[in-house]
Amino acid sequence: MGQSNSSTSSSSSKRRDESNSCKSMAVIVPEKKIIVDEDVYRYREYISELPDDCLAYVFQSLSSGDRKRCSLVCKRWLLVEGESRHRLSLNAKADLNLSISTLFTRFNSVTKLALKCDRKGVSIGDDGFILISLRCRNLTRLKLRACREITDAGMESFAKNCKSLKKLSFGSCTFGAKGMNAILNHCSFLEELSVKRLRGIADGSPAVPIGPGVAAGSLKSICLKELYNGQCFGPLIAAAKNLRSLKLFRCSGDWDVLLESISNRVTGLVEVHLERLQVSDRGIAALSSCLDLEILHLVKTPECTNAALVSIADRCKLLRKLHIDGWKTNRIGDEGLMAIAKRCPNLQELVLIGVNPTNVSLGHLGNCRNLERLALCGSETIGDPEISCIASKCTALKKLCIKGCPVSNHAMEALVGGCPNLVKVKVKKCRGVTSDGLIWFRAFRQSVVINLDISGKENVEANTSDGGPPEPSVEVLEVVNQITASIPSSSDGRTSSPKARLGLFVGRNFASCTFPRWSNSNNSDGV
């Protein structure tokens, strides 16, 4: 009994010692530290000690919705979030005038502003627009959409208050040439200008020239869309000696004269987009004086012929991207494409829509050792032989798109043995290509991502990450199994490379007799 009492007292004293020691120990848990001392608990919250700069950096990494929710946590977060917000997009209806002072008192560091109004609504007017300019003098980017109540006077006052603008974008506005010239005369740092449907310059009065202004010296990009009197921007374009990108979309009038007038002044152009313009070979020949031209888009310009491409190929040796939408006029074909293939070795991307090339020009694409992306859409002459030619010549090709062309499953067979660097193939609205062709291709090029859309009704996509291709038909499965079984294995037990296996499928006669179902389906489709 004595021994038991002594042992009990010793154990209780041990527990008391452990309890006393625990009271002075610090227990650390994520985001907080609890100090236990004489049953008094004190909580230390580290986020409140975070400097405002660090907290602002965290806010800038969040989405817009998360920022709004975080700003409601406490007054400090509301203040820091508002002062660190540099980008703001507002619904620019007329009732915004009542909130401008409150909004820009909270968001006093905005440098990128978008004002958008519903086309059927009434936008803010000159008074609200000028008040915004007084509260945001450090603006560098401005986007206006359907702000029809802003006039030339409002634009002039805004330009005087915000002289640091670098990027401007206008769409469906009603101010005119006077407002545009005010911007160009006061914003000497302007680098990018985009104008779409500026209705003030198409009010029936004589066209007033726009530009050049002090902004012409700094402009690097000009984009004009859907303008009735777009040629009035001619003085601005001609004076922009540092212009690198010129994009003209659906602007009426004859543009040959303007392009010829700037040919000897603006020679540093790198990117040119022309879409639905009245421009002929004269205008394109004038652009060929831009020896640094790398990107050229000719979209639905029916007056351009092979001569235009020949003039570009003769002088623009640095061309990397070429997009042509021939609009099925058959005025651009083998002659122009052959000149590009022979004289533009740096070509990386070629998109042909409504153009009908043949093997005569496609065979020369092998000269373009850097050609990685090729799209052939709506061509009546791109068939199985043409795809076979591309497969054998374009060894650097990585992405291939075929849409609305008379190709069949034999084209997929040709791609099996060609284009060793291919990573993605997209086939759309080619009635001759079926899911069996997809299975055939996937059997030997498993690393290639394939997207197959048959006549807009069937969409089959296969890659290495999904569950694999759909179940093949019995005929195709049997043929693939038989051929794969006959392939010799290497010394380590693995099958040889796809290139070695390809020797079995080189002959077209073999493919025709092995796949009678493909031939029958192609004939029935009229391909």
Side-chain angles (χ1 to χ4, degrees):
M1 291 292 294
Q3 292 180 353
S4 62
N5 290 334
S6 62
S7 62
T8 302
S9 61
S10 62
S11 61
S12 61
S13 62
K14 184 177 181 180
R15 285 195 298 270
R16 285 194 300 270
D17 295 337
E18 291 177 352
S19 177
N20 293 331
S21 62
C22 288
K23 289 182 180 180
S24 60
M25 288 179 61
V27 182
I28 300 176
V29 296
E31 299 185 356
K32 62 184 178 179
K33 181 177 181 181
I34 301 176
I35 301 178
V36 184
D37 188 13
E38 299 297 338
D39 297 329
V40 177
Y41 294 82
R42 289 181 298 164
Y43 180 78
R44 184 177 179 183
E45 196 258 311
Y46 286 105
I47 296 181
S48 61
E49 300 179 3
L50 205 63
D52 289 351
D53 294 342
C54 295
L55 188 60
Y57 183 79
V58 173
F59 287 152
Q60 292 172 3
S61 303
L62 301 178
S63 63
S64 178
D66 290 338
R67 290 191 65 150
K68 293 177 182 178
R69 286 185 283 270
C70 288
S71 65
L72 302 177
V73 171
C74 61
K75 291 183 178 180
R76 175 174 175 258
W77 284 27
L78 179 68
L79 179 63
V80 173
E81 193 277 331
E83 293 179 345
S84 63
R85 185 184 286 267
H86 302 303
R87 186 190 301 268
L88 194 62
S89 180
L90 300 175
N91 187 358
K93 291 186 177 181
D95 55 4
L96 179 64
N97 291 329
L98 303 175
S99 307
I100 289 177
S101 298
T102 305
L103 277 171
F104 290 97
T105 298
R106 177 187 171 191
F107 304 111
N108 55 9
S109 300
V110 173
T111 59
K112 304 172 185 178
L113 179 64
L115 300 176
K116 304 178 182 179
C117 183
D118 187 0
R119 291 186 179 182
K120 297 181 180 180
V122 179
S123 71
I124 61 172
D126 290 343
D127 294 339
F129 193 51
I130 295 173
L131 182 58
I132 290 176
S133 68
L134 293 173
R135 304 299 296 268
C136 302
R137 292 182 177 272
N138 295 323
L139 274 183
T140 59
R141 297 186 185 183
L142 174 66
K143 179 184 292 186
L144 294 183
R145 288 292 180 271
C147 295
R148 292 178 292 274
E149 309 304 319
I150 299 176
T151 66
D152 289 333
M155 291 302 303
E156 186 173 3
S157 299
F158 184 91
K160 292 179 180 179
N161 295 328
C162 301
K163 297 183 179 181
S164 300
L165 286 171
K166 293 184 177 180
K167 296 184 179 181
L168 273 177
S169 177
F170 304 125
S172 299
C173 295
T174 56
F175 62 89
K178 185 177 179 181
M180 278 300 315
N181 282 324
I183 291 287
L184 298 175
N185 289 329
H186 292 91
C187 302
S188 57
F189 300 101
L190 193 62
E191 297 179 356
E192 296 183 17
L193 176 64
S194 177
V195 182
K196 180 179 181 180
R197 290 195 298 269
L198 187 61
R199 306 186 188 280
I201 63 173
D203 55 3
S205 58
V208 178
I210 295 178
V214 297
S218 59
L219 270 174
K220 297 180 180 178
S221 173
I222 296 178
C223 178
L224 306 179
K225 294 184 179 181
E226 301 178 20
L227 297 180
Y228 179 73
N229 290 329
Q231 285 85 359
C232 64
F233 283 86
L236 174 63
I237 298 175
K241 296 183 179 181
N242 295 317
L243 194 65
R244 306 281 288 173
S245 174
L246 178 61
K247 300 179 181 180
L248 305 174
F249 300 89
R250 301 179 295 279
C251 296
S252 60
D254 187 358
W255 287 86
D256 282 340
V257 177
L258 177 61
L259 294 179
E260 287 178 338
S261 65
I262 68 173
S263 60
N264 296 325
R265 303 179 184 180
V266 186
T267 58
L269 281 172
V270 175
E271 181 176 8
V272 174
H273 290 230
L274 305 178
E275 180 175 335
R276 290 199 179 188
L277 290 185
Q278 184 180 342
V279 60
S280 66
D281 295 342
R282 286 176 50 198
I284 305 302
L287 287 176
S288 66
S289 61
C290 303
L291 304 183
D292 296 330
L293 189 65
E294 298 181 8
I295 302 173
L296 176 62
H297 288 213
L298 297 177
V299 179
K300 297 178 180 179
T301 52
E303 297 183 25
C304 293
T305 67
N306 285 318
L309 290 188
V310 172
S311 62
I312 292 293
D314 286 339
R315 306 189 66 183
C316 303
K317 306 297 184 181
L318 302 180
L319 195 66
R320 295 187 298 107
K321 298 181 180 180
L322 176 63
H323 289 213
I324 300 176
D325 187 343
W327 223 0
K328 295 186 177 181
T329 57
N330 292 327
R331 305 193 72 180
I332 295 179
D334 284 334
E335 181 183 353
L337 295 176
M338 194 158 29
I340 293 292
K342 287 182 177 180
R343 302 166 195 171
C344 300
N346 296 322
L347 194 66
Q348 297 177 357
E349 180 175 305
L350 177 62
V351 177
L352 301 178
I353 304 174
V355 180
N356 296 319
T358 66
N359 285 339
V360 175
S361 58
L362 295 177
H364 290 278
L365 290 179
N367 297 330
C368 305
R369 301 295 183 183
N370 298 319
L371 185 62
E372 297 180 349
R373 297 174 294 278
L374 176 63
L376 307 169
C377 307
S379 175
E380 299 174 354
T381 60
I382 299 295
D384 294 339
E386 286 70 29
I387 299 300
S388 298
C389 178
I390 292 172
S392 61
K393 300 292 185 179
C394 302
T395 57
L397 199 63
K398 292 183 178 180
K399 296 182 180 180
L400 174 64
C401 177
I402 309 171
K403 180 179 180 180
C405 297
V407 299
S408 69
N409 287 328
H410 295 301
M412 305 300 293
E413 171 195 344
L415 289 175
V416 169
C419 304
N421 296 310
L422 203 62
V423 296
K424 186 174 184 179
V425 177
K426 180 182 292 187
V427 181
K428 300 184 65 177
K429 298 182 181 180
C430 298
R431 298 179 61 187
V433 180
T434 66
S435 56
D436 286 345
L438 170 66
I439 301 304
W440 172 265
F441 186 87
R442 285 285 297 147
F444 302 102
R445 300 293 293 271
Q446 298 181 5
S447 62
V448 179
V449 178
I450 309 174
N451 185 287
L452 177 63
D453 182 1
I454 303 175
S455 301
K457 297 180 180 180
E458 181 180 355
N459 190 1
V460 182
E461 185 171 351
N463 54 41
T464 56
S465 60
D466 58 19
E471 290 296 328
S473 63
V474 176
E475 296 179 20
V476 175
L477 189 59
E478 290 179 354
V479 172
V480 171
N481 289 338
Q482 292 173 6
I483 296 176
T484 306
S486 64
I487 297 176
S489 300
S490 60
S491 58
D492 57 357
R494 295 178 295 181
T495 57
S496 56
S497 64
K499 290 184 178 180
R501 286 181 273 178
L502 214 54
L504 299 171
F505 317 118
V506 173
R508 177 56 58 87
N509 295 333
F510 175 81
S512 300
C513 66
T514 307
F515 297 96
R517 178 178 175 182
W518 290 2
S519 301
N520 294 336
S521 63
N522 294 337
N523 293 335
S524 63
D525 292 336
V527 178

